[in-house]
Amino acid sequence: MNSIFCLVDDKHVPLYRIMWVAAVPHFCGDEECQCEGLYEVRLEQDESVWASRKERDQVLAAMESWQGGPLREEDEEDGLES
Ligand SMILES: [Zn+2]
């Protein structure tokens, strides 16, 4: 279930290549723009893929479960409890 890939715009994107995910849909006012209303998913090396809202949510969910997977980083917080 925990794939390292997520599907965005018919592309399997490795989660570790994602730099950030847009919180709001793209709007630039250009009539020729193919990305209007889509959410930008920024990748390394100045690449972007464009996700529908549903895809964007799936990307975020995938990244959260990926981060919460095998590598847990809760040890610091545990140390602060007394
Ligand atoms: Zn645009």
Side-chain angles (χ1 to χ4, degrees):
M1 280 298 281
N2 270 352
S3 172
I4 199 73
F5 294 100
C6 60
L7 191 63
V8 179
D9 192 24
D10 293 334
K11 301 171 192 74
H12 288 283
V13 179
L15 293 173
Y16 55 80
R17 290 205 60 213
I18 297 175
M19 313 306 295
W20 49 258
V21 178
V24 293
H26 174 76
F27 173 78
C28 66
D30 187 340
E31 285 180 23
E32 305 272 297
C33 185
Q34 304 285 308
C35 313
E36 205 85 10
L38 295 177
Y39 292 79
E40 184 168 11
V41 177
R42 187 69 164 184
L43 307 179
E44 293 170 349
Q45 266 127 37
D46 286 344
E47 285 183 68
S48 290
V49 289
W50 297 89
S52 65
R53 187 186 173 95
K54 190 178 160 207
E55 286 173 332
R56 197 270 318 245
D57 289 346
Q58 285 170 349
V59 169
L60 292 176
M63 292 193 81
E64 276 178 7
S65 68
W66 177 52
Q67 289 293 342
L71 283 173
R72 290 207 157 259
E73 298 185 44
E74 291 172 7
D75 298 83
E76 284 182 53
E77 282 181 38
D78 289 341
L80 292 174
E81 282 174 40
S82 57

